[in-house]
Amino acid sequence: MSTKPVPRVRVPSKVKAGELVEIKTIISHEMESGQRKDTAGKTIPRKIVRQFTASFNGKTFLEADWHPAISANPYQSFFFKVTEPGEFRFVWKDDDGSEYVATSKIDL
C-alpha cells in the first residue's frame, strides 16, 4: 500500500438536545482484495478495512463488518439522536490488526 489510511469524519459541533444529526465518515484506503497480481506475477496480499465501529461517550451504537467487495475509500453515513454533550469515537480495523481512530466532540 502506497499511503497510510486517513480517516475523516463530519459531525456538527453544536446541536439541540434530542436533535437527529447526520454523521459522515470516510477513510482513505486502497482496499486491496488479495486477488490482484503485481508486475512480477505475485499475488498482492489482502488488506482491507474489515470492521467499523462508532461509539458515543464510550457506548457503541454502530458496528459494521466489511468484506473484500467494499470499495476503496469506504464511506459510511448514518444518523444519531444527540441527548447530551459528549465525544464520538470512530474506529476502523484493518486485516493486519491496524486500527485507525477519529474522534469528534459535540456540544448542546
Side-chain angles (χ1 to χ4, degrees):
M1 186 144 90
S2 60
T3 59
K4 180 180 179 193
V6 178
R8 292 174 291 179
V9 298
R10 183 171 290 178
V11 176
S13 59
K14 193 167 185 161
V15 299
K16 295 178 183 174
E19 187 174 349
L20 192 64
V21 297
E22 184 175 17
I23 299 169
K24 299 176 181 181
T25 69
I26 190 168
I27 185 165
S28 299
H29 193 289
E30 293 174 349
M31 301 292 277
E32 185 55 59
S33 69
Q35 298 175 1
R36 294 184 324 131
K37 297 190 185 298
D38 62 15
T39 55
K42 294 182 181 178
T43 301
I44 300 170
R46 178 179 135 147
K47 184 167 172 64
I48 68 167
V49 174
R50 61 177 174 77
Q51 187 177 47
F52 171 77
T53 305
S55 59
F56 183 69
N57 288 340
K59 296 178 185 170
T60 299
F61 65 90
L62 176 72
E63 289 182 321
D65 291 327
W66 292 344
H67 302 280
I70 195 152
S71 68
N73 308 319
Y75 169 80
Q76 181 83 47
S77 174
F78 48 91
F79 291 89
F80 183 81
K81 188 173 185 177
V82 180
T83 58
E84 62 186 5
E87 183 176 74
F88 289 97
R89 184 173 194 265
F90 309 98
V91 180
W92 294 260
K93 293 182 182 178
D94 214 325
D95 273 340
D96 67 2
S98 299
E99 287 189 2
Y100 312 102
V101 179
T103 59
S104 185
K105 292 185 179 184
I106 196 165
D107 290 317
L108 300 181

